[in-house]
Amino acid sequence: MSSANMTLFRAYAQKSNPASLPPSVLFSHSETCLTVFDAFPKSIFHFLVIPRVRPPFNVYQLANLRSLLKCEKNSAKELLVDLSREANNVKKMIESEMFKKYGFKWEIWMGFHAIPSMEHLHLHVLSADLCSPRMKLKKHYNSFHPKRGFFIHLSDVLSWFDADPSYYKTISQLKKSEYEPLLKEDLSCWKCDRNLSNMPKLKSHLQEEFDKLFDQEKAKVERERKRSDDLAQTSSSQISLNDDDSPQYELVRGSDEERGPHSEN
């Protein structure tokens, strides 16, 4: 990958007007961060939330998660909380799109790569399926496996700030020697832990898992629809019955005293 491509996110983050980015790149932006479409999505939905370069941070401190965690703790945590807020906004929009396209929603992951391939801190927000034509290599898959360890969930990173200071100091180093070997581990389904011998077999299995989920949710929606129709039909029958009975009651009017002070005369 060329050095220009490696620092592309940094160029985005330094823009004074993110709205100048093409709509094929920019999804949304705020005063503190911007969200872009992942150019090589590894799931059905895949976005990146990027902090804009603003004081008290410079581009070098925002190079990656490791460099951020070397900064003053309160400031680093505040930036991550801000990314979390924006990521949750993106999550809501993804869920809305899930309902429109598929009729149900499923889990969404938020996290960082321990050793990213691109310069400038970026938070991955992606749907929990890992079904994508762009998912081609073992290292790609293992880098997003939610239980492998290379993909560090945002909630875990935020929990480090409340941990013992010695633990924070150790875990925040994000040593390459500890994380890079995770990319070479054997392929296994993130959902059922089944081992697969190669990427084509893994991708086929992941698609089967998603299709199974789709069928289950579709059946659930159908059951809910039928239950709703049955309730509506029962309610309609009761209303019809009450309408049939109502003339009998309208013919019998109580005295003024029985009708009380709030009844019309």
Side-chain angles (χ1 to χ4, degrees):
M1 184 181 293
S2 70
S3 58
N5 286 334
M6 286 184 64
T7 59
L8 190 59
F9 296 159
R10 178 180 293 175
Y12 293 166
Q14 289 180 296
K15 279 189 172 292
S16 58
N17 178 24
S20 63
L21 290 169
S24 59
V25 172
L26 182 68
F27 180 69
S28 64
H29 73 279
S30 68
E31 184 179 342
T32 57
C33 53
L34 62 152
T35 300
V36 300
F37 295 93
D38 193 301
F40 303 96
K42 301 304 187 293
S43 278
I44 295 174
F45 299 94
H46 192 171
F47 297 86
L48 305 172
V49 182
I50 302 171
R52 299 174 68 179
V53 180
R54 301 169 70 251
F57 301 103
N58 57 43
V59 292
Y60 304 107
Q61 292 169 320
L62 295 179
N64 50 49
L65 183 60
R66 183 169 178 264
S67 62
L68 174 67
L69 296 179
K70 288 180 179 180
C71 299
E72 196 274 323
K73 282 181 70 174
N74 288 333
S75 296
K77 183 178 180 180
E78 186 177 339
L79 185 142
L80 289 170
V81 169
D82 188 66
L83 289 183
S84 177
R85 279 194 293 265
E86 184 61 26
N88 277 302
N89 290 335
V90 175
K91 178 182 177 181
K92 291 175 184 176
M93 288 185 272
I94 292 175
E95 289 176 337
S96 176
E97 196 64 23
M98 285 175 168
F99 272 117
K100 288 179 184 177
K101 288 191 172 184
Y102 298 92
F104 70 99
K105 67 178 181 179
W106 60 99
E107 190 180 358
I108 294 171
W109 298 326
M110 304 177 191
F112 303 94
H113 281 158
I115 313 296
S117 58
M118 300 278 286
E119 288 283 338
H120 199 80
L121 182 68
H122 51 284
L123 172 66
H124 293 271
V125 182
L126 70 164
S127 53
D129 50 78
L130 300 183
C131 293
S132 169
R134 297 288 189 174
M135 182 70 79
K136 298 178 179 179
L137 303 176
K138 176 197 254 189
K139 67 177 182 179
H140 290 157
Y141 176 74
N142 281 338
S143 73
F144 285 102
H145 193 298
K147 294 176 281 188
R148 188 74 77 206
F150 192 90
F151 182 83
I152 306 175
H153 295 272
L154 174 60
S155 57
D156 290 338
V157 177
L158 289 172
S159 73
W160 297 348
F161 290 86
D162 299 320
D164 184 90
S166 60
Y167 177 80
Y168 179 88
K169 183 177 180 180
T170 301
I171 196 71
S172 63
Q173 292 178 17
L174 298 173
K175 295 178 180 178
K176 284 188 176 182
S177 59
E178 294 180 6
Y179 287 95
E180 286 190 334
L182 300 176
L183 298 178
K184 299 178 182 179
E185 291 195 1
D186 293 339
L187 294 171
S188 66
C189 174
W190 65 267
K191 194 169 185 179
C192 70
D193 296 325
R194 177 181 170 185
N195 292 324
L196 286 306
S197 59
N198 55 52
M199 281 301 295
K201 289 183 179 179
L202 173 68
K203 292 183 66 170
S204 177
H205 174 75
L206 292 177
Q207 188 61 55
E208 289 173 3
E209 288 288 336
F210 183 77
D211 292 343
K212 189 190 305 180
L213 174 65
F214 180 85
D215 290 341
Q216 290 170 349
E217 292 297 328
K218 186 178 179 181
K220 187 188 299 182
V221 169
E222 182 59 26
R223 287 195 300 271
E224 290 295 327
R225 186 196 64 76
K226 188 176 185 304
R227 186 180 295 115
S228 179
D229 288 348
D230 290 344
L231 287 173
Q233 186 174 1
T234 301
S235 177
S236 176
S237 298
Q238 290 174 343
I239 292 172
S240 177
L241 179 61
N242 290 337
D243 286 345
D244 291 341
D245 293 344
S246 60
Q248 301 175 22
Y249 294 101
E250 290 177 354
L251 291 174
V252 182
R253 299 185 63 192
S255 65
D256 290 346
E257 185 177 350
E258 290 172 334
R259 278 179 278 143
H262 298 291
S263 299
E264 290 184 3
N265 293 325

